[in-house]
Amino acid sequence: NGRRRTDIGWDNHINNFANLKNWQLPPTDQAVSALLGELSERGLLEETLVVLMGEFGRTPGISSEGGRQHWPFCYSVVMAGGGIRGGEVYGASDTRAAYPASNPVSPFDVGATIFHLLGVDINQTLHDHIGRPHQICRGKPIAGLI
């Protein structure tokens, strides 16, 4: 029929609001709530780290097709359990959700936080197959979340 599909995953470059409202967010909300509730009821939440994130944020503006494009300057991450303090919001964006306004962190910091909570020493150096040293992570754990 020549129409582009809009129900092909989370990459909402078109029809953003209808996709989120009608089929992406309701089952995600239900699944994440059920997972966190179940982990909590079974006493497993403190030893299980749950992370929801993507590789990009979304542009502050909406395209002519009703979507949002990739935007690496500001995005959201949801973390729960595994040593994360619950019920907190860390950082804030500016009024357009374009750039961090307070407590900015880098993707390296997110990774360092995950490694730290998993008990990995991020300052450790690993060597590749030809002996070159590589630090596990260049970020720092986000102290305000732990």
Side-chain angles (χ1 to χ4, degrees):
N1 63 12
R3 290 185 8 211
R4 287 177 41 188
R5 285 189 59 183
T6 64
D7 61 344
I8 55 174
W10 283 93
D11 211 8
N12 286 328
H13 291 284
I14 57 177
N15 203 24
N16 184 68
F17 296 103
N19 286 346
L20 290 169
K21 179 181 177 186
N22 296 326
W23 72 274
Q24 290 172 319
L25 291 178
T28 301
D29 182 49
Q30 184 178 18
V32 172
S33 297
L35 174 63
L36 295 177
E38 185 77 14
L39 288 170
S40 179
E41 287 174 18
R42 291 176 181 238
L44 298 171
L45 188 56
E46 279 307 307
E47 64 185 59
T48 306
L49 179 62
V50 178
V51 179
L52 285 84
M53 64 184 217
E55 80 284 14
F56 272 108
R58 292 295 178 177
T59 53
I62 305 301
S63 72
S64 61
E65 293 183 292
R68 299 174 81 177
Q69 307 312 312
H70 295 168
W71 185 256
F73 305 107
C74 193
Y75 49 95
S76 300
V77 177
V78 175
M79 300 175 102
I84 294 291
R85 286 199 318 253
E88 307 241 355
V89 173
Y90 185 87
S93 68
D94 62 14
T95 58
R96 296 188 61 233
Y99 299 96
S102 68
N103 296 322
V105 299
S106 73
F108 294 117
D109 298 331
V110 174
T113 303
I114 293 169
F115 283 138
H116 173 78
L117 292 170
L118 294 174
V120 175
D121 178 3
I122 61 167
N123 297 309
Q124 182 180 3
T125 300
L126 301 176
H127 293 82
D128 64 19
H129 69 286
I130 60 171
R132 294 177 300 185
H134 300 277
Q135 186 176 350
I136 290 179
C137 186
R138 293 183 292 183
K140 295 189 181 334
I142 305 166
L145 294 178
I146 303 169

